[in-house]
Amino acid sequence: MRQPSAPPFNAPAARRLRAALGMGPEHVAHAMRVSYGLPYVTPDLVTAWERGTAAPSHPELTALAGALWCSPGELFGRPRTLREHRAARAVAAEDVARAVGVDVRSYLRMEESGRWRGDERQSAALARVLDLALPDFVAVTGREARLAELLRSAVTTRWQAYGRPVRKLVPLDPDVLDGALRELHEDYQGHMAATLSWGGGSSSASESGREFLDRIVENFWTAVGKRS
């Protein structure tokens, strides 16, 4: 059985940790060669990791963490997929499948496709076994694209019509959800009012409105967090 892929390498964190220690890439490479037995590591390779043009293997990541005096977990980015969340928590696929009540092959097919097909009870069990926060649960179960679609419609039309559809995707308290949708709608309409004001607004106002829509899911979770 194939091993789960690791969460994404956090290149900015590696660069930040190295700078905080006052080290150059050559110091990191030297430590990895001398202390961790990786003779091929060069300053250029360390720089490539930090720029995101290459990613360290598991042994390299462990050695890099040692050279930077940090835990390997500090060099991981935020998990993005179901498989990455499972790998980050070092949980076997068999254990997740058993917890949610499906056979392991069915579970692995869902991991592979990125489409979660569990019912409400199984979804709750998945969130527990992987300790998923609600934003992560929505993302790994393949609901984020639909959520973004609904949120864009809510802020550009009448937000009141979208409370129930959004709640089907995101189990939130109705008052919290309605407050978040109202805030998003008002924020977006504020961007549009600036664009359509006398004089035609400005290109920066129009651009900020597009950026707001591009980041609609992130903005939604921020608004929810204020009310939770």
Side-chain angles (χ1 to χ4, degrees):
M1 185 175 297
R2 186 170 64 181
Q3 294 299 311
S5 59
F9 176 64
N10 191 337
R15 184 168 59 251
R16 184 174 62 252
L17 288 163
R18 175 181 59 75
L21 292 170
M23 300 171 69
E26 66 278 8
H27 301 125
V28 176
H30 177 77
M32 294 179 69
R33 290 195 302 268
V34 174
S35 300
Y36 295 93
L38 299 177
Y40 57 87
V41 176
T42 64
D44 286 344
L45 181 56
V46 173
T47 299
W49 291 337
E50 292 183 356
R51 290 177 176 171
T53 58
S57 66
H58 181 71
E60 291 167 346
L61 182 70
T62 300
L64 180 61
L68 295 176
W69 293 84
C70 68
S71 68
E74 293 178 75
L75 296 174
F76 286 143
R78 179 173 173 260
R80 295 166 297 188
T81 66
L82 187 54
R83 178 171 292 163
E84 288 174 357
H85 277 281
R86 179 168 64 81
R89 288 157 180 78
V91 180
E94 293 84 354
D95 294 334
V96 178
R98 187 180 307 111
V100 302
V102 299
D103 67 85
V104 67
R105 289 185 178 179
S106 297
Y107 170 76
L108 287 172
R109 281 196 296 270
M110 289 188 281
E111 266 196 6
E112 193 71 36
S113 68
R115 297 186 63 184
W116 173 249
R117 300 181 182 278
D119 58 25
E120 185 174 344
R121 180 192 63 79
Q122 291 170 324
S123 297
L126 178 74
R128 284 195 302 272
V129 72
L130 294 181
D131 192 25
L132 296 174
L134 186 54
D136 292 327
F137 173 75
V138 170
V140 303
T141 54
R143 304 179 185 188
E144 196 169 71
R146 176 58 177 162
L147 176 61
E149 179 184 339
L150 290 173
L151 293 175
R152 291 189 186 102
S153 296
V155 302
T156 55
T157 57
R158 292 183 64 255
W159 67 265
Q160 296 90 338
Y162 289 88
R164 182 172 296 178
V166 172
R167 197 154 46 244
K168 287 182 178 180
L169 294 179
V170 184
L172 286 169
D173 178 270
D175 290 337
V176 171
L177 177 57
D178 287 351
L181 292 178
R182 183 187 303 110
E183 178 183 328
L184 292 179
H185 183 270
E186 292 173 352
D187 285 351
Y188 178 73
Q189 295 304 318
H191 288 295
M192 292 301 97
T195 302
L196 299 174
S197 62
W198 289 105
S202 66
S203 60
S204 62
S206 178
E207 180 63 29
S208 69
R210 287 193 292 270
E211 182 180 345
F212 185 87
L213 291 180
D214 288 342
R215 299 167 62 90
I216 192 66
V217 173
E218 181 180 339
N219 293 331
F220 172 70
W221 291 123
T222 299
V224 167
K226 295 177 183 177
R227 293 163 172 80
S228 300

